[in-house]
């Protein structure tokens, strides 16, 4: 394995983390809104999101770095384009759900996000297997978040 480019790795992680931080900027009262919603069974406390998401963004950043620094250039550009698109949808979801209060719009966005992250993982695995596997916790959390989004949309008609 080649020696890591630490500044580039740090930049990749920081960029991913900034997506989460910037969407939170537009929805600063999300914990209050979440607490006021009727929620389905298994809904976690709002503080848990603040613990889980930074870890997932760090994994995403590391995965993207691994793909970016891999030598297979042809697939790399497509992989990183899909990665960027899923980050954009991830950013948008928080705003759709909390800022606009569009519960069913958020369901549609998270289903699209699920599909894009699975596509990202599939192409990342073809380029760099560990990079693809770094997205597994993200996919698992997204599937749980999809359940929550659908459940919240149903119980808050």
């Amino acid at each position: 394995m080649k020696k890591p480019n630490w500044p580039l790795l740090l930049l990749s992680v920081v960029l991913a983390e900034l997506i989460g931080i910037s969407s939170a900027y537009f929805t600063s009262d999300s914990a209050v809104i979440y607490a006021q919603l009727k929620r389905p069974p298994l809904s976690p406390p709002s503080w848990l999101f603040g613990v889980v998401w930074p870890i997932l963004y760090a994994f995403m950043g590391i995965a993207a770095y691994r793909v970016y620094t891999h030598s297979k250039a042809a697939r790399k550009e497509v992989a990183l384009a899909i990665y960027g698109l899923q980050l954009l949808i991830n950013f948008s979801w928080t705003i759709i759900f909390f800022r606009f209060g569009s519960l069913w719009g958020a369901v549609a966005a998270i289903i699209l996000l699920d599909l894009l992250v699975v596509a990202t993982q599939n192409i990342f695995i073809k380029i760099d297997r560990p990079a693809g596997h770094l997205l597994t916790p993200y996919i698992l959390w997204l599937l749980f978040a999809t359940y929550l989004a659908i459940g919240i949309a149903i119980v808050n008609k």
Side-chain angles (χ1 to χ4, degrees):
M1 184 166 168
K2 62 184 175 183
K3 187 177 175 183
N5 179 333
W6 291 109
L8 189 57
L9 175 58
L10 181 61
L11 177 64
S12 184
V13 171
V14 167
L15 286 174
E17 296 288 350
L18 283 174
I19 297 298
I21 292 167
S22 60
S23 67
Y25 171 78
F26 292 106
T27 58
S28 58
D29 56 351
S30 60
V32 173
I33 293 168
Y34 181 75
Q36 294 172 344
L37 291 167
K38 291 184 234 164
R39 295 183 302 266
L42 305 177
S43 295
S46 60
W47 63 264
L48 186 61
F49 297 98
V51 173
V52 171
W53 277 111
I55 295 167
L56 296 176
Y57 284 120
F59 284 1
M60 284 185 257
I62 295 167
Y65 163 81
R66 291 184 62 97
V67 168
Y68 181 78
T69 58
H70 204 279
S71 61
K72 296 180 183 174
R75 284 195 235 157
K76 177 170 62 173
E77 291 175 2
V78 172
L80 292 172
I82 297 169
Y83 170 76
L85 182 58
Q86 71 81 24
L87 277 177
L88 177 65
I89 300 301
N90 180 309
F91 170 83
S92 301
W93 184 89
T94 306
I95 295 167
I96 293 166
F97 187 89
F98 290 109
R99 180 75 164 198
F100 298 129
S102 177
L103 301 182
W104 287 106
V107 168
I110 203 165
I111 290 170
L112 175 60
L113 181 58
D114 293 338
L115 296 172
L116 287 169
V117 174
V118 167
T120 302
Q121 183 184 48
N122 286 336
I123 197 165
F124 274 23
I125 282 175
K126 290 176 184 169
I127 296 169
D128 180 81
R129 196 166 206 60
H133 291 306
L134 279 166
L135 297 181
T136 299
Y138 181 30
I139 291 170
L140 294 173
W141 183 258
L142 276 180
L143 292 174
F144 179 61
T146 302
Y147 155 76
L148 291 175
I150 293 168
I152 288 170
I154 291 170
V155 300
N156 287 278
K157 291 187 209 182

